[in-house]
Amino acid sequence: MLPEQQKQLIALIQAAVADIVPDAQATVTLERPKIAAHGDIATNTAMQLAKPARRNPRELAQQIVEKLLAEPAFRQLVESAEVAGPGFINFRLAAAARQAVIDVVARQGERYGMLAPSGEKVLVEFVSANPTGPLHVGHARQAALGDSLCRLFSARGYDVTREFYYNDAGNQIDNLAISVQARARGIAPDAPDFPADGYKGDYIVDIARDFQAKATVQASDGEAVTASGDVENLDDIRRFAVAYLRREQDLDLQAFGLKFDNYYLESSLYTSGRVERTVQALIAAGHTYESEGALWLRTTELGTGDDKDRVMRKSGGGYTYFVPDVAYHVAKWERGFHRAINIQGSDHHGTIARVRAGLQGLGLGIPKDFPAYILHKMVKVVRNGAEVKISKRAGSYVTMRDLIDWVGQDAVRFFLIQRRADSEFVFDIDLALSRNEENPVYYIQYAHARICSMLTQSEHPAEAIAAADPGLLVAPTEFALLQRLAEYPATLALAAQELAPHHIAFWLRDCAADFHAWYNAERVLVPDTGLQLARLRLAWTTRQVIAAGLQVLGVSAPERM
């Protein structure tokens, strides 16, 4: 059903309930029955009200149905209503109500399912890789999730900012520098004097070679860095290596079709004094204590669910990794982003409570659930039935660029978005390359291309198709496709509410299936010109909504395949 129709039906049910059970507080929910033969939409309102109203649920449901059938507005919207099972009410929509989506899509155009800009700001931080190597498949999953979520929020009227947080400080950067230095000195990864925690991928050789050649590199948001070529100058090596890998990650993201609005450097939190100010504010607020030479934060007392207090400053000096995270999220809040979402790997689960505790301790009025988190599980890559674990370039993992080179940007994006973030995922390279209905992205894109071909071959002008009468669309497969198209706005809303863009992927697959079923069941180029035009208009409408759904996922909608 269209959102406006749902609101109307809910209001009619609530009015019927109010007449039958005056004191009831009815929260009416509508859902599609699991079995299509049961109807188009259903509600369990009678079952919810039966116990507090001390009524038999089936009898109450029947009274609600009788009350509804007496309303002319209900009869315009619903063809039939019947009680099923322990008290469900199943509704079948009237033909005109099903067909209404055609005119709504025509009227709203590309804005179908979207909301007007609200001005509300949201910051989505994702990928945020350490600049110590190429982006891996976990980063690819973050990129797919994050960019789709940003597109989804834009469709729902938000002012969206994409942000990449660079962890350019700490031990991992030191390990990067000494790894490049070792390769520049000719020390191989399997040599006994190669750094124990060094990086061994071939990309380290490339950095070392360019450093010695005094090359110049520049990340998209940084200054150009020219290598000194001095192998003994570890600071120069560190600076060049970070800039080099930031540029490499930029190229990976460009290949993915992803552009960030902001790049935020962890190092800037230290140079600007933000980290130190955050620590001093927590001390002044009385939320810290000294023990065994370390500074601790009383996270267990700050109401975010942490099971033990956490070290902020280690006994040997230096802050633990969650401290700059607290300072960083203060910066987010102060920049006016009162809704912020972080997309990270599931290994960051332990960070959530302590970061939120630090924010609570500062007394800035930040909500306890700020920021929101989406934690994703890892991706296993399979090819020819066997797991692919190693990329020569990276040395120990499959990279984002590997996936893009193997199957293309569209398949990478769609495959990595089609499951819940908290579910493990097997990326089957052979499936992503296949050209059949088992490959979901091919199946959906083929539906779009098939419609484009159909419209191109039509002898009717676009104006005639646009003016066709949708009232002629009465075949069962047409009703099914019309209902699917009507559900698109609600799917967008659900995906945004649950921070779950995989709902769009599911809807696209179902819509493509409904289209193919209709196309195979009903001839489009029938002798009846009016019916032919109506079916071409249904195809045109389907093409437009499929293209919109693919756009939300960042996947192309090809006109031919």
Side-chain angles (χ1 to χ4, degrees), residues 1-178:
M1 297 183 72
L2 290 163
E4 298 78 9
Q5 294 173 337
Q6 284 203 0
K7 290 178 183 177
Q8 184 182 4
L9 181 54
I10 287 172
L12 288 166
I13 296 171
Q14 288 174 329
V17 168
D19 282 347
I20 299 167
V21 190
D23 297 330
Q25 297 295 321
T27 301
V28 178
T29 58
L30 301 175
E31 60 184 18
R32 191 185 248 210
K34 294 180 180 179
I35 300 174
H38 289 174
D40 300 311
I41 206 80
T43 183
N44 64 352
T45 302
M47 296 164 62
Q48 291 182 10
L49 292 176
K51 188 173 181 179
R54 298 181 180 180
R55 300 284 300 275
N56 178 288
R58 281 188 61 89
E59 292 178 359
L60 180 57
Q62 188 60 46
Q63 277 191 277
I64 294 172
V65 166
E66 291 170 0
K67 200 76 174 176
L68 289 171
L69 291 173
E71 291 292 332
F74 177 79
R75 297 306 298 266
Q76 290 180 355
L77 185 63
V78 175
E79 179 182 86
S80 67
E82 59 183 28
V83 178
F88 289 102
I89 304 175
N90 294 332
F91 304 100
R92 293 189 186 280
L93 298 180
R98 302 172 193 266
Q99 297 150 354
V101 64
I102 298 287
D103 287 333
V104 172
V105 174
R107 187 167 60 252
Q108 297 182 2
E110 294 181 353
R111 298 293 303 174
Y112 176 60
M114 300 171 68
L115 299 180
S118 65
E120 186 175 352
K121 296 170 62 175
V122 59
L123 176 69
V124 184
E125 181 216 325
F126 57 108
V127 181
S128 296
N130 297 329
T132 55
L135 299 178
H136 55 61
V137 292
H139 296 130
R141 191 172 197 184
Q142 284 194 35
L145 285 166
D147 193 44
S148 295
L149 192 64
C150 289
R151 291 166 180 264
L152 179 59
F153 273 115
S154 293
R156 301 303 290 172
Y158 288 85
D159 179 3
V160 181
T161 297
R162 295 164 171 81
E163 186 152 289
F164 190 123
Y165 177 67
Y166 271 116
N167 300 98
D168 64 333
N171 293 334
Q172 291 178 320
I173 303 300
D174 293 338
N175 289 335
L176 170 66
I178 61 176

Side-chain angles (χ1 to χ4, degrees), residues 195-217:
D197 296 323
Y199 297 98
K200 301 179 179 181
D202 283 358
Y203 68 95
I204 298 295
V205 178
D206 298 336
I207 300 172
R209 183 186 302 118
D210 280 8
F211 179 79
Q212 290 177 294
K214 299 182 180 180
T216 298
V217 294

Side-chain angles (χ1 to χ4, degrees), residues 209-239:
R209 183 186 302 118
D210 280 8
F211 179 79
Q212 290 177 294
K214 299 182 180 180
T216 298
V217 294
Q218 184 174 13
S220 61
D221 70 316
E223 297 179 357
V225 176
T226 300
S228 68
D230 183 359
V231 177
E232 302 307 316
N233 190 328
L234 197 59
D235 285 339
D236 277 2
I237 293 174
R238 179 185 293 105
R239 185 164 171 261

Side-chain angles (χ1 to χ4, degrees), residues 308-322:
K308 61 181 179 180
D309 293 343
R310 303 292 174 174
V311 173
M312 293 178 63
R313 186 176 60 236
K314 294 173 281 190
S315 57
Y319 294 115
T320 54
Y321 63 88
F322 88 92

